[in-house]
Amino acid sequence: MIKNLLTAISKLGVWTKLLLGLLILAGVWYLIGSVNQYYGYWDKDEDRGAKMVPSDPFDEELTNISYLPQGWDEADSLWFYNATQGSNLLPYDFFLFLEQAGNDEIFRSDENINRYRYLPQKETFSNPDALPVGMARDTYDGKAYMGFTCAACHTSQINFGGIGIRIDGGPSAADLENFLIDMATALEMTIAETPKRERFYKNVLGEGNYKSESEIDDDLEKFAFQIRTYTEVNKPETCADQNEVAPNCTDFTQVSYGFARLDAFGRIYNRVLQHVISADQLAEILTSSLPPDVWAAASANVMPILEGEDQSHLLVRALEKLYPYLEGGKDNSTILSDIRREIYNPANAPASYPYLWDIPHHDYVQWTGLVSNGGLGPLGRNVGQVIGVFGTLDWEVKPGWTIESFLGGQGTDESHVDFKSSIDKRNLRRVEKHLRSLKSPEWPEDLLGDIDRDRVDLLGKPLFMSYCASCHESIDRNDIDRRIISQMSHIDTVGTDPVLANNTINYEGSSGVLRNKYVDAGPGKLVLASRSQVAPLVRLSTRGVVTAWDPDKNIFRRSAEWLFDTIKTLSDNKVKTTLKHGDYDPPTTNNPFAPLRAYKARPLNGIWATAPYLHNGSVPTLYDLLLPKRDDGAEAYAAVYGEVCGEPIEFRPDTFIVGSREFDVTKIGFRYSEYEGFNFETDISGNSNSGHEYGRPAQSDAGEIVYLCKDERMAILEYIKTL
């Protein structure tokens, strides 16, 4: 058989033989790469790497860590924790040995990691350096980095009775905001303090990846600057006197996220704006924002950057040249704030980390239903989140057009944007497929107590069907072909905090190198003006990254993988792009993004494990979610409620504490008082706990006014435990 095959090949023409050889070579490279990818599934540590920490900032002592059955075994969980997605926050050796700012303890120590509510891990096969859940080693352009995986934001733990219950796909309690602020300070202190710097030199040089102290110094300066700039750019400020950011606002105040929240949209938007800004637009902003004498002195050093051939990372490089001319350098907050507000938008709409079970089965995803899950949608969505969490973006303008740029929607113009990046699209596709087998966690009666089935059947389920089922459909978590149909609720109807939805469509920025490009905007194509809504800029950028080939691989392997992953994503994805369901403004040619002024309701299976609640985490427990917000209208019917229910009315807490993992099995949520955590204040823009209220009086079908009394609320909670 082999002899006949060789004889047949010998009769082929030269070009046919060459093409066949290239295909065989590409196939071999592809197989080698695939085998290399799957070695991660060899990690079958029986504890899934989970590690308990002796000291906890909120005095929560554990004797054991347990996992719930969610369709994943040990290898599945550990692969998810350690599968890099191309995030490059810090050189890997730096993260291993960086010390905390105020002492000589390493920054990544278990106690410090736990303080930010990331989850410590022990050493395992796929995690030899015992990195926390969701932090992994990535390589790009010949260098190794520490970056985030999906698990950093989407793995949770609840503590009850001395048992830590790890939940795969659950919303993280992490405080990324302060993690990065403190990391920037730690890097700056390493530069400033000689003993700390000397220890750092010794440890990093010992790894063999840096050749000299001066080489380390260069990267110390670079990454301290990058991370500090990132924290400054994304200050979640709002306008205190108008409850919104406005051009004439001078009274800004910062909205801290605290634990379990992040304005991911705002940060993705800002990273896109940072990397697409053009030299002429940046020059115009600097000229108008800086005092004339400062610009006169600085322009001689800044303009060569703006006029040079290398236009990648333009903004960061220009600011590095600008800082020496500012009084106070990097600490000149007034001038830098003016520049920041001209280029970026405030990331002031913190949202809870979404839970990931059922995500591949949804028709639309994100809190506002921003992304369709049909076609290549999942890949674009995941590319967008890596842009937000430190994918290296080596974007720059190049002459002519390529197949990649054409497929990315840039047409056949005389120039195109090369969307080269570190983003690992292969792993993003594999993570999405991996999530299809993840199931929502069932209430563990052996750990959290028995469910009162009689109460569920007699009262809880009927009430749920009356009040909740129209928006929150029931699904079978074991059905591999399940479809999740999102129910959209207009922000004016649902009444929850509108800042996230409004920011999604109102935020604008300089289109820069994407100016005059066309973007599919639903009702038709949108041409990008010099200043544009950020939503279409992100849409075009993510599509550009999706269609770009992997720069870290040779031409044969990267072309084979690109073709395979594109076809595989389309063939594997059973979700089709469809019309949205529910209450929302339809897209128009004048406002193609109007549907985004709505929030998505999803099935409530596993909702018990996802506190705090509402999209912005402004309600600490499910019990509180069934209470009304305290306002003038609520006070007016308090007396009537007392007469009907025979008990004093309760309201959602206006302030509460976040950070504890200690679970309240009665109210279903985390402990939120009597400890020193983050103080959540609901009277701040972006933090409102209004809307989605079922504690107010409602009109029945018969026209009478009815109330949910405490016993009825508790019965609904009992039913929710069964979902």
Side-chain angles (χ1 to χ4, degrees):
M1 180 178 176
I2 295 176
K3 183 178 180 181
N4 293 336
L5 179 62
L6 293 174
T7 301
I9 292 174
S10 68
K11 295 179 180 179
L12 297 175
V14 175
W15 289 108
T16 306
K17 289 178 181 177
L18 179 60
L19 178 60
L20 181 61
L22 290 174
L23 289 173
I24 293 172
L25 190 59
V28 170
W29 265 309
Y30 171 74
L31 289 173
I32 292 172
S34 296
V35 170
N36 183 54
Q37 291 283 351
Y38 281 99
Y39 84 96
Y41 286 102
W42 296 346
D43 198 343
K44 295 183 181 294
D45 182 83
E46 61 181 10
D47 300 319
R48 308 192 195 200
K51 186 176 184 181
M52 292 179 289
V53 181
S55 62
D56 184 90
F58 308 129
D59 300 322
E60 297 174 14
E61 296 184 2
L62 300 179
T63 59
N64 190 28
I65 293 178
S66 177
Y67 275 83
L68 300 183
Q70 292 184 255
W72 282 1
D73 62 15
E74 293 86 352
D76 289 322
S77 294
L78 289 165
W79 181 85
F80 178 68
Y81 299 162
N82 300 301
T84 177
Q85 54 185 350
S87 171
N88 300 155
L89 174 62
L90 193 69
Y92 191 74
D93 295 346
F94 282 23
F95 186 66
L96 292 182
F97 301 113
L98 179 68
E99 295 177 0
Q100 298 171 40
N103 54 61
D104 59 2
E105 294 295 319
I106 60 172
F107 191 85
R108 70 183 186 103
S109 70
D110 292 338
E111 289 76 13
N112 197 46
I113 287 297
N114 186 51
R115 186 164 66 88
Y116 301 107
R117 278 338 202 195
Y118 289 104
L119 297 170
Q121 292 282 91
K122 65 183 180 181
E123 177 184 339
T124 66
F125 173 79
S126 58
N127 183 20
D129 292 312
L131 302 183
V133 168
M135 300 183 196
R137 186 179 188 273
D138 181 66
T139 56
Y140 174 67
D141 205 17
K143 294 184 178 180
Y145 299 90
M146 186 285 284
F148 292 103
T149 76
C150 296
C153 299
H154 305 289
T155 308
S156 62
Q157 179 174 308
I158 64 176
N159 299 338
F160 185 76
I163 305 296
I165 305 171
R166 290 268 176 103
I167 300 174
D168 286 330
S172 170
D175 179 3
L176 177 65
E177 182 183 11
N178 284 302
F179 177 83
L180 294 174
I181 290 171
D182 292 349
M183 177 176 282
T185 303
L187 289 166
E188 291 161 353
M189 289 299 98
T190 303
I191 296 171
E193 298 179 3
T194 301
K196 188 179 288 289
R197 189 173 64 254
E198 292 295 333
R199 291 192 296 271
F200 189 74
Y201 285 156
K202 179 180 178 181
N203 289 325
V204 171
L205 287 172
E207 294 296 297
N209 297 311
Y210 283 85
K211 297 178 181 178
S212 66
E213 293 179 357
S214 62
E215 190 179 351
I216 295 174
D217 285 337
D218 289 343
D219 272 0
L220 270 174
E221 292 280 354
K222 174 182 175 181
F223 285 92
F225 172 77
Q226 284 186 1
I227 296 173
R228 177 64 70 191
T229 301
Y230 179 87
T231 64
E232 290 296 314
V233 161
N234 290 291
K235 276 186 175 178
E237 63 183 12
T238 190
C239 191
D241 58 351
Q242 300 179 46
N243 209 32
E244 63 180 88
V245 173
N248 59 347
C249 175
T250 57
D251 183 16
F252 288 95
T253 184
Q254 185 161 341
V255 183
S256 294
Y257 303 159
F259 297 101
R261 301 195 305 165
L262 185 70
D263 185 352
F265 279 132
R267 290 170 181 244
I268 292 169
Y269 278 16
N270 282 339
R271 288 209 85 210
V272 168
L273 290 174
Q274 173 180 324
H275 286 83
V276 303
I277 195 166
S278 60
D280 58 336
Q281 288 179 332
L282 180 54
E284 182 180 344
I285 289 171
L286 294 178
T287 304
S288 62
S289 300
L290 293 171
D293 59 326
V294 173
W295 179 242
S299 59
N301 279 337
V302 174
M303 287 308 297
I305 298 293
L306 303 184
E307 295 170 350
E309 291 185 8
D310 181 7
Q311 297 285 285
S312 63
H313 306 281
L314 191 66
L315 178 58
V316 172
R317 291 165 53 221
L319 288 179
E320 285 181 312
K321 295 294 183 181
L322 173 64
Y323 277 139
Y325 297 92
L326 299 179
E327 184 179 353
K330 301 175 187 178
D331 297 323
N332 193 318
S333 58
T334 301
I335 293 177
L336 294 180
S337 293
D338 290 341
I339 296 173
R340 173 164 52 85
R341 292 179 188 128
E342 284 291 325
I343 297 173
Y344 301 102
N345 294 284
N348 62 358
S352 295
Y353 299 106
Y355 46 100
L356 291 190
W357 48 83
D358 302 326
I359 280 293
H361 307 278
H362 278 250
D363 54 355
Y364 286 86
V365 294
Q366 310 293 10
W367 291 113
T368 58
L370 176 65
V371 181
S372 168
N373 238 4
L376 287 172
L379 192 52
R381 158 171 49 90
N382 289 320
V383 162
Q385 63 90 12
V386 186
I387 288 174
V389 290
F390 316 109
T392 301
L393 309 177
D394 291 327
W395 300 352
E396 60 179 322
V397 177
K398 292 188 176 181
W401 62 276
T402 64
I403 294 176
E404 301 162 73
S405 66
F406 177 78
L407 294 174
Q410 297 188 62
T412 56
D413 294 340
E414 294 182 359
S415 64
H416 71 280
V417 179
D418 179 13
F419 284 101
K420 176 185 175 183
S421 75
S422 65
I423 297 174
D424 191 334
K425 299 185 289 293
R426 159 145 292 201
N427 265 8
L428 292 179
R429 177 186 65 78
R430 295 175 69 222
V431 166
E432 189 74 13
K433 184 176 181 180
H434 195 64
L435 288 170
R436 291 178 192 165
S437 59
L438 178 67
K439 300 176 184 179
S440 55
E442 298 184 60
W443 179 274
E445 295 185 75
D446 59 328
L447 297 175
L448 301 181
D450 293 338
I451 298 173
D452 186 338
R453 304 288 172 174
D454 291 337
R455 195 179 197 187
V456 166
D457 294 336
L458 293 174
L459 188 58
K461 184 174 181 179
L463 285 169
F464 183 90
M465 293 302 166
S466 296
Y467 286 96
C468 312
S470 61
C471 290
H472 301 287
E473 66 172 325
S474 297
I475 65 164
D476 179 1
R477 59 166 51 83
N478 296 310
D479 181 3
I480 194 64
D481 292 322
R482 60 192 179 276
R483 294 285 182 270
I484 313 298
I485 301 173
S486 304
Q487 294 292 329
M488 305 307 300
S489 297
H490 197 286
I491 60 174
D492 294 339
T493 302
V494 72
T496 51
D497 191 287
V499 176
L500 173 61
N502 287 334
N503 287 358
T504 304
I505 63 174
N506 291 340
Y507 272 174
E508 296 183 345
S510 299
S511 59
V513 296
L514 297 179
R515 183 178 181 181
N516 296 329
K517 301 293 184 183
Y518 290 89
V519 183
D520 186 2
K525 288 197 177 291
L526 180 72
V527 63
L528 297 174
S530 60
R531 190 163 182 84
S532 165
Q533 287 175 290
V534 188
L537 293 177
V538 173
R539 183 172 293 183
L540 184 59
S541 297
T542 55
R543 182 176 173 182
V545 174
V546 167
T547 57
W549 290 357
D550 191 333
D552 265 4
K553 296 169 184 173
N554 61 64
I555 188 171
F556 301 111
R557 182 176 171 187
R558 72 190 187 191
S559 58
E561 289 189 359
W562 178 87
L563 184 61
F564 177 86
D565 288 333
T566 301
I567 295 173
K568 194 70 173 173
T569 299
L570 290 171
S571 62
D572 279 353
N573 188 8
K574 306 303 181 184
V575 178
K576 309 300 180 186
T577 301
T578 58
L579 296 174
K580 290 183 177 179
H581 289 247
D583 173 25
Y584 59 91
D585 293 329
T588 65
T589 53
N590 186 50
N591 189 2
F593 300 101
L596 299 180
R597 291 191 73 249
Y599 293 122
K600 184 185 73 170
R602 59 184 291 180
L604 300 185
N605 50 305
I607 192 70
W608 63 269
T610 66
Y613 297 99
L614 293 184
H615 75 272
N616 60 352
S618 60
V619 180
T621 71
L622 282 177
Y623 179 84
D624 294 305
L625 188 63
L626 296 178
L627 298 176
K629 177 180 173 58
R630 185 189 301 273
D631 58 23
D632 294 339
E635 296 285 359
Y637 65 75
V640 181
Y641 175 91
E643 292 177 7
V644 173
C645 295
E647 62 198 22
I649 195 169
E650 297 178 78
F651 299 102
R652 293 175 180 176
D654 294 323
T655 62
F656 56 93
I657 307 300
V658 182
S660 174
R661 295 191 182 112
E662 195 66 34
F663 196 66
D664 184 333
V665 296
T666 302
K667 290 188 172 183
I668 308 186
F670 294 114
R671 176 170 60 114
Y672 62 85
S673 63
E674 300 180 359
Y675 68 96
E676 297 294 326
F678 173 78
N679 189 44
F680 194 113
E681 301 177 50
T682 62
D683 61 350
I684 297 174
S685 176
N687 284 3
S688 173
N689 64 345
S690 64
H692 195 277
E693 296 186 38
Y694 295 93
R696 293 183 181 275
Q699 187 168 339
S700 70
D701 293 338
E704 61 183 338
I705 301 300
V706 297
Y707 293 83
L708 275 178
C709 300
K710 183 172 183 178
D711 184 61
E712 294 170 311
R713 293 195 298 272
M714 297 305 297
I716 292 175
L717 296 188
E718 203 70 14
Y719 175 70
I720 288 176
K721 293 178 185 178
T722 70
L723 298 176

